[in-house]
Amino acid sequence: MGGAGIRLFRFAGITVYLHFTWFLIAAYQVQARIHSYSRPVWALLEYIGLFVMVLLHEFGHALACRSVGGYANRIVLWPLGGVAFVQPPRRPGAMLWSLAAGPLVNVALIPVFQVLVAIAANGESEDLYRLVATLRIINFALLIFNMLPVYPLDGGQILRALLWFPLGEIRSLQIASVLGLVGGVVLAAVAFAVYQSIWIVVMAFFLVSRAIAGWQEAK
């Protein structure tokens, strides 16, 4: 995937790429959020802020993986989020830490945004306050969504790592994959029937495809 993107920078031995399709979705999303601010630049800053949070999340995964002796040297940002290409040692504890470190970054950002919102509330810029308040909500939403026990989301993979202790590597992957398949189907149904969101449908399709791949890998 890195070959299909733009190399942004390298930090701590980890190279960050931006997928080409990011710009297409960025233009659409910024256009959709322009009405929330007095000037378009704030909508652009909101979208960039979202991906700064995603990038910090993925660096959490990558650096945690390297701290336990695993391999992680690439992060790709794409329209639906980010992917840290990590290969932790095949031990449940090492995998659990590598997976949990990403959501822990979002947890650490909660008090940071609380302080920033309080500061912005006392300022004179309504746009700045709305920007920081929106990013606070997005950070919390990312945390909740990622912690759903649906493989391959972080929550589903953390569940798999926890099941690895009593059940072993293969059985834990089988159970997580089945839960991921069911969760992806439910998410697609909800997206179609309630929210009518194409992006949620695309995400659900991705989850189902990765759950099927996980089941095949376990076999």
Side-chain angles (χ1 to χ4, degrees), residues 42-194:
W42 292 101
L44 177 61
L45 290 175
E46 179 184 301
Y47 194 71
I48 293 175
L50 162 62
F51 276 88
V52 169
M53 287 187 289
V54 171
L55 182 59
L56 292 174
H57 176 104
E58 299 304 332
F59 262 108
H61 287 307
L63 294 176
C65 177
R66 292 165 71 98
S67 73
V68 294
Y71 182 76
N73 69 345
R74 184 164 53 122
I75 293 174
V76 176
L77 299 176
W78 62 306
L80 294 180
V83 178
F85 291 84
V86 299
Q87 296 178 6
R90 295 181 67 172
R91 304 190 306 270
M95 176 169 287
L96 180 59
W97 170 236
S98 299
L99 295 170
L104 285 175
V105 171
N106 296 104
V107 172
L109 287 175
I110 291 176
V112 174
F113 276 114
Q114 289 295 113
V115 173
L116 292 177
V117 168
I119 294 174
N122 294 322
E124 299 181 356
S125 174
E126 291 187 9
D127 285 322
L128 178 60
Y129 174 77
R130 187 173 293 112
L131 171 66
V132 177
T134 301
L135 291 177
R136 178 180 62 174
I137 295 173
I138 292 174
N139 177 65
F140 189 72
L142 288 175
L143 174 61
I144 297 302
F145 180 73
N146 268 302
M147 289 306 295
L148 293 176
V150 178
Y151 185 89
L153 295 177
D154 290 339
Q157 296 203 59
I158 289 172
L159 175 62
R160 183 222 169 167
L162 292 172
L163 292 175
W164 189 335
F165 286 98
L167 301 179
E169 179 181 7
I170 296 177
R171 187 63 175 168
S172 64
L173 180 56
Q174 289 176 328
I175 295 174
S177 298
V178 171
L179 292 176
L181 179 61
V182 173
V185 171
V186 171
L187 181 62
V190 171
F192 183 78
V194 180

Side-chain angles (χ1 to χ4, degrees), residues 145 182-208:
F145 180 73
V182 173
V185 171
V186 171
L187 181 62
V190 171
F192 183 78
V194 180
Y195 297 105
Q196 297 181 343
S197 171
I198 184 62
W199 301 118
I200 300 180
V201 171
V202 171
M203 176 61 74
F205 176 78
F206 171 76
L207 295 179
V208 169

